[in-house]
């Protein structure tokens, strides 16, 4: 089992560009999450999904969109990248209360 | 939503000493409190958790205590080893949704 797989691992974007961060899981977990991690700030929840076809906003959703067409995939979309979106992004899944994290995507917006 | 505060932000200990990290939470209805360890370049990994019906839980050198009345919980690592060096996060589960709210992290350095 691969667990939670995030791609890409690193990316540099120019201001105003768009991109999709991919997240795939093979654990058949219903819950999936996107977090961003900024230095000294812990992890902040961007969006989450309780199952295929259902998504909801977390603490910091502005500037992002998600979709959940299948149980396995939960992509995060940035439409107009801004320097404030420079961060490390983590996707996670949960079975009950225990969360499993991917390796992260380090995004820099210049 | 839930608000979790974590202290200290950095902690250095000599190998073999104990380390204690403390967290407080705001939502008295929260009932699940995990601790995650994040090594450099990796995602957080669950190391121990505690539910509100228990006051203390141990797993070898790691223990977690919970005081529901005071709304705080702590991570205790005994006989620290260099491989314990990492960033540790506490979290609390938001009631009603299955969402975790994280503390700001503690960078633990174990000096050989």
């Amino acid at each position: 089992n691969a667990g939670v797989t995030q791609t890409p691992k690193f990316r540099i974007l120019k201001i105003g560009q768009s991109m999709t961060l991919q997240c795939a899981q093979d654990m058949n977990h219903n819950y999936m999450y996107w977090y961003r991690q900024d230095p000294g700030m812990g992890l902040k929840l961007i969006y989450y999904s309780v199952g295929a076809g259902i998504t909801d906003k977390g603490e910091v959703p502005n500037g992002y969109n998600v979709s959940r067409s299948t149980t396995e995939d939960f992509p995060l979309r940035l439409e107009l990248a801004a320097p404030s979106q420079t961060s490390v992004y983590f996707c996670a899944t949960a079975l009950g209360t225990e969360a499993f994290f991917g390796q992260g995507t380090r995004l820099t917006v210049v | 939503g839930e608000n979790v505060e974590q202290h200290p932000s950095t902690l250095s200990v000599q190998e073999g000493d104990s380390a204690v990290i403390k967290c407080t939470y705001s939502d008295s209805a929260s009932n699940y409190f995990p601790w995650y360890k994040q090594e450099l370049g990796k995602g957080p990994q669950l190391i121990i958790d505690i539910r509100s019906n228990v006051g203390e839980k141990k797993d070898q050198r790691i223990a977690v205590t919970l005081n529901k009345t005071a709304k705080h919980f702590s991570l205790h690592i005994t006989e620290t080893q260099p491989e314990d060096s990492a960033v540790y996060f506490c979290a609390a589960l938001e009631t009603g949704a299955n969402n975790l709210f994280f503390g700001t992290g503690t960078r633990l350095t174990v000096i050989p």
Side-chain angles (χ1 to χ4, degrees), chain A residues 33 37 48 90 96-99, chain B residues 36 38 43 46 51 89 98-99:
Chain A
Y33 309 86
Q37 184 177 32
Y48 67 99
F90 286 99
T97 50
E98 181 178 354
Chain B
Y36 284 81
Q38 185 179 27
L46 180 71
R51 297 187 185 274
F89 291 97
N98 206 53
N99 297 336

Side-chain angles (χ1 to χ4, degrees), chain B residues 1 16 24 28 30 35 46 49-50 53 60 62 65 80 104 111:
Chain B
T24 60
S28 57
S30 292
W35 285 89
L46 180 71
D49 55 16
I50 192 166
N53 57 346
Q60 299 181 355
I62 295 173
T65 58
T80 53
T104 49
I111 304 163

Side-chain angles (χ1 to χ4, degrees), chain A residues 10-110:
Chain A
F10 304 94
R11 183 73 186 267
I12 298 175
L13 273 185
K14 292 186 178 177
I15 295 171
Q17 285 186 321
S18 61
M19 77 162 294
T20 300
L21 284 69
Q22 301 291 348
C23 176
Q25 56 120 343
D26 61 1
M27 297 183 285
N28 203 33
H29 290 171
N30 281 334
Y31 292 96
M32 294 190 75
Y33 309 86
W34 274 105
Y35 290 90
R36 59 178 287 171
Q37 184 177 32
D38 300 308
M41 296 297 290
L43 292 106
K44 297 292 186 183
L45 183 64
I46 305 171
Y47 269 94
Y48 67 99
S49 169
V50 301
I54 306 168
T55 62
D56 214 338
K57 295 178 180 178
E59 294 176 89
V60 290
N62 291 346
Y64 307 94
N65 273 301
V66 294
S67 60
R68 184 94 183 272
S69 56
T70 66
T71 299
E72 292 78 20
D73 299 299
F74 190 40
L76 178 71
R77 178 87 178 157
L78 283 72
E79 289 295 349
L80 288 169
S84 60
Q85 293 178 304
T86 294
S87 189
V88 180
Y89 291 84
F90 286 99
C91 177
T93 71
L95 176 66
T97 50
E98 181 178 354
F100 299 83
F101 286 82
Q103 298 273 48
T105 295
R106 183 175 292 277
L107 175 67
T108 303
V109 182
V110 296

Side-chain angles (χ1 to χ4, degrees), chain B residues 60-76:
Chain B
Q60 299 181 355
R61 297 185 297 107
I62 295 173
V64 58
T65 58
L66 171 65
N67 183 326
K68 281 226 76 178
T69 303
K71 291 191 281 189
H72 65 70
F73 56 114
S74 301
L75 178 70
H76 304 253

